[in-house]
Amino acid sequence: MTEIEKLGFALQQFAGLSEDDFKMSSDFWFVKNYKKGEFYNLRGTVCTYFGFIVEGVFRSYTIDEKAGEEKNVYLYSANGFVVSFKSFINQIPCDYFTQAMTDASIIYIRYTDLLSLYQKSHQWEKFGRLLAQEAFNVTMSRIEGFLLKSPEERYLDLIKQHPDIFNNVPLYHISSYLGIQGPSLSRIRKRLSGK
């Protein structure tokens, strides 16, 4: 499957876009490659494009100025979307950095091109609504995960959402994302591998 076919399949699964709907957007998608450590979006800038990850892993993080440490907020992996949702949807400055954690490749569309698709097609308009709902769901899942779930449950959710994450990302980034210390993550992994 080519990169563009993967994208078409993902959009069909996500929003029910037909082949014709997808063809309508074909001139608006561009490929971009990232080296490990390069930024998709910087804190304080407006996210102006929406990406589909062909390969690689990204993270969104903030810096705790008092503690002097980075805190991972979101993780994005292959065959999923990468976007600073709030910044992109509202076209306001982003509250965090989004960075490639590995060499990565995305196919992206600009905000202005997406708006023009919304005006041309009800299916693309539906895509926009579903994108806003996804932003809400991702954010609520993160908040509820910290309020209602144990570290072990958050770990299992992470594996379900990003099955290859441990092959690509250092453990300290994963422990930051889960909100636990490294030794606790090691204990959880050891306990679950024994089951």
Side-chain angles (χ1 to χ4, degrees), residues 113-182:
D113 292 333
L114 201 49
L115 282 186
S116 74
L117 287 169
Y118 294 166
Q119 293 168 351
K120 292 176 187 171
S121 158
H122 288 300
Q123 281 304 109
W124 278 103
E125 204 172 34
K126 176 185 172 188
F127 170 84
R129 180 176 48 79
L130 291 173
L131 185 62
Q133 287 175 352
E134 180 69 6
F136 175 79
N137 288 335
V138 166
T139 302
M140 288 307 298
S141 292
R142 284 291 285 157
I143 292 167
E144 289 170 352
F146 281 105
L147 293 175
L148 307 173
K149 293 184 177 182
S150 70
E152 188 170 300
E153 289 171 317
R154 293 197 301 271
Y155 171 85
L156 291 170
D157 285 347
L158 173 67
I159 290 181
K160 196 181 333 175
Q161 294 163 359
H162 305 280
D164 296 327
I165 200 82
F166 287 96
N167 299 331
N168 297 306
V169 174
L171 289 180
Y172 69 91
H173 280 303
I174 293 170
S175 61
S176 169
Y177 175 77
L178 294 173
I180 59 177
Q181 297 297 316

